[in-house]
Amino acid sequence: QEDEDPQEQEQEQQEEEQPEEQEDQAPAVPEEFMFDVEGVALDPDVMKFASSASKGGGGKRGMIFSEERGRYIKPILPRGRVRKLAVDATMRTAAPYQKKRREKANAQAEESGDRSKLKNVYIEGSDVRAKKMARKAGSLVLFVVDASGSMALNRMNAAKGAAIGLLSEAYQSRDKIALITFQGDFAQVVLPPTRSIAMAKNRLERMPCGGGSPLAHALNMAAQTGLTCQKSGDVGEVLVVCISDGRANVPLATSVGEELEEPMDKTALKDEVINTAKMLGTLAGFKLLMLDSENKFVSTGLAKEIAAAAQGKYHYIPKPSQVGQVASQAIQDLKSR
């Protein structure tokens, strides 16, 4: 037994030393890497997230009014070119003046001797009414994903799985999906607003990750993308789902190609992101859901501050695989506000 004790001690020492050796031998995270979209498993929680996102606000998302598409709800005075003529309202408006207009037309025909211009009904420009149309407003669920750092692959997998899941319900809910990634010096729209699953799979097949974290540029681009989509008339509400730890190290000026007189410190970078989030929160129909992917042991609380600045919601997700589970209820709550 005395001989075995030293051997056991040696084995324990070797076991303790192995993790340190493995950590030393671990390869460094590359500045840029690519990953394949095909290997993503769709978590059942993600599908639950998809269904709740489309069912959540139903009748509370409002209506889109236009003169082009939808259900005819009432006649209106046209502004500019008439897109859809409200025949019923136009005839009702013209009806009281038919007798006088007919008498006037008959008198002019007798004077000129030309009765070819006589009509059964006389409509003038002041009689014309256009149709006001209404249709249910869809939502734009806009994923803004931090593709920088060592956790980028997991975040991207989670966001991509949720996006594909939502698209399966898009034809019923009228929702559109878009995805913005930010890494390096700027953010980019890797998936423009769409309901097409085929387009999503093609666009999300391979995406770059790693590098810096231009969060301010990403939030700014989310605002621009959402506003453009709202102007198209198909979207009423924009739900920005930001998966990030809230850290930023690339100023907005650098992202848009401007030169800085002096480099920005951490406090200035944080203030820039907070101000951008405040701007996002003031936009009509915009809501922010901040999913914090930061390690709790080194948490700075930046993601929570960003959510508060945008008057949005904050959730901590210790594992990217929990995105669907956590976001499901959060998105439902946001849509019901």
Side-chain angles (χ1 to χ4, degrees):
Q1 290 179 351
E2 292 177 0
D3 294 335
E4 289 177 359
D5 290 340
Q7 290 179 356
E8 289 178 359
Q9 290 176 1
E10 288 179 6
Q11 287 178 356
E12 289 176 359
Q13 288 177 359
Q14 288 176 0
E15 289 175 358
E16 290 175 357
E17 290 172 359
Q18 279 178 356
E20 294 178 359
E21 290 174 2
Q22 289 175 358
E23 288 179 5
D24 293 338
Q25 294 172 1
V29 177
E31 290 185 1
E32 296 239 349
F33 59 89
M34 309 291 284
F35 69 94
D36 242 341
V37 77
E38 298 298 330
V40 177
L42 285 181
D43 193 308
D45 289 330
V46 171
M47 299 309 295
K48 195 191 299 180
F49 162 38
S51 62
S52 69
S54 60
K55 294 175 185 174
K60 296 184 181 180
R61 281 187 280 174
M63 307 288 287
I64 293 178
F65 300 100
S66 71
E67 296 180 33
E68 297 177 352
R69 289 183 290 151
R71 180 171 55 87
Y72 174 34
I73 55 171
K74 70 175 184 179
I76 58 172
L77 285 169
R79 295 179 180 179
R81 184 170 66 90
V82 177
R83 300 179 184 276
K84 295 270 187 175
L85 177 66
V87 178
D88 56 337
T90 300
M91 295 294 286
R92 284 196 300 271
T93 306
Y97 308 104
Q98 292 305 300
K99 184 177 179 181
K100 289 184 177 179
R101 291 174 184 175
R102 197 172 285 115
E103 290 174 354
K104 182 179 178 181
N106 286 331
Q108 290 176 346
E110 287 179 6
E111 288 180 8
S112 62
D114 182 10
R115 301 184 63 83
S116 62
K117 294 183 179 180
L118 292 177
K119 303 173 184 177
N120 292 327
V121 178
Y122 293 89
I123 305 293
E124 296 184 1
S126 58
D127 303 326
V128 175
R129 297 292 184 270
K131 288 182 178 180
K132 183 174 184 178
M133 319 288 279
R135 63 185 186 277
K136 285 185 179 179
S139 292
L140 171 64
V141 181
L142 180 53
F143 290 93
V144 178
V145 188
D146 187 351
S148 66
S150 59
M151 290 297 290
L153 180 61
N154 292 332
R155 282 193 293 258
M156 297 295 281
N157 272 331
K160 182 170 56 62
I164 297 294
L166 278 172
L167 283 172
S168 66
E169 303 289 333
Y171 72 98
Q172 292 178 343
S173 63
R174 299 179 177 85
D175 288 344
K176 288 187 174 184
I177 309 298
L179 194 146
I180 294 174
T181 62
F182 59 100
Q183 52 89 219
D185 288 338
F186 55 88
Q188 58 181 330
V189 180
V190 294
L191 178 66
T194 182
R195 294 191 186 101
S196 169
I197 295 178
M199 180 181 179
K201 286 184 176 178
N202 289 335
R203 291 296 187 99
L204 302 181
E205 186 173 357
R206 292 175 69 81
M207 292 178 289
C209 299
S213 181
L215 180 53
H217 188 227
L219 294 176
N220 193 59
M221 184 166 285
Q224 293 175 359
T225 304
L227 287 170
T228 302
C229 205
Q230 282 181 332
K231 288 179 182 178
S232 70
D234 290 329
V235 166
E237 185 178 81
V238 178
L239 177 58
V240 180
V241 181
C242 184
I243 307 175
S244 172
D245 56 13
R247 298 171 187 264
N249 55 24
V250 179
L252 185 58
T254 300
S255 300
V256 297
E258 297 178 1
E259 291 186 5
L260 289 170
E261 295 181 0
E262 296 181 0
M264 295 177 67
D265 58 18
K266 288 184 179 180
T267 303
L269 287 166
K270 175 188 171 182
D271 290 343
E272 184 177 61
V273 171
I274 294 297
N275 290 333
T276 307
K278 287 179 180 177
M279 175 273 297
L280 190 71
T282 61
L283 298 176
F286 276 71
K287 294 174 182 177
L288 175 68
L289 171 61
M290 199 75 193
L291 300 183
D292 187 359
S293 59
E294 188 174 34
N295 189 320
K296 271 284 184 182
F297 296 106
V298 292
S299 177
T300 58
L302 289 173
K304 187 176 285 188
E305 290 186 50
I306 292 169
Q311 302 174 50
K313 276 214 164 190
Y314 166 87
H315 281 276
Y316 172 64
I317 48 170
K319 296 179 182 178
S321 61
Q322 296 176 335
V323 167
Q325 184 180 5
V326 175
S328 175
Q329 187 60 45
I331 288 180
Q332 201 167 7
D333 292 345
L334 282 172
K335 285 190 173 186
S336 62
R337 278 187 186 180

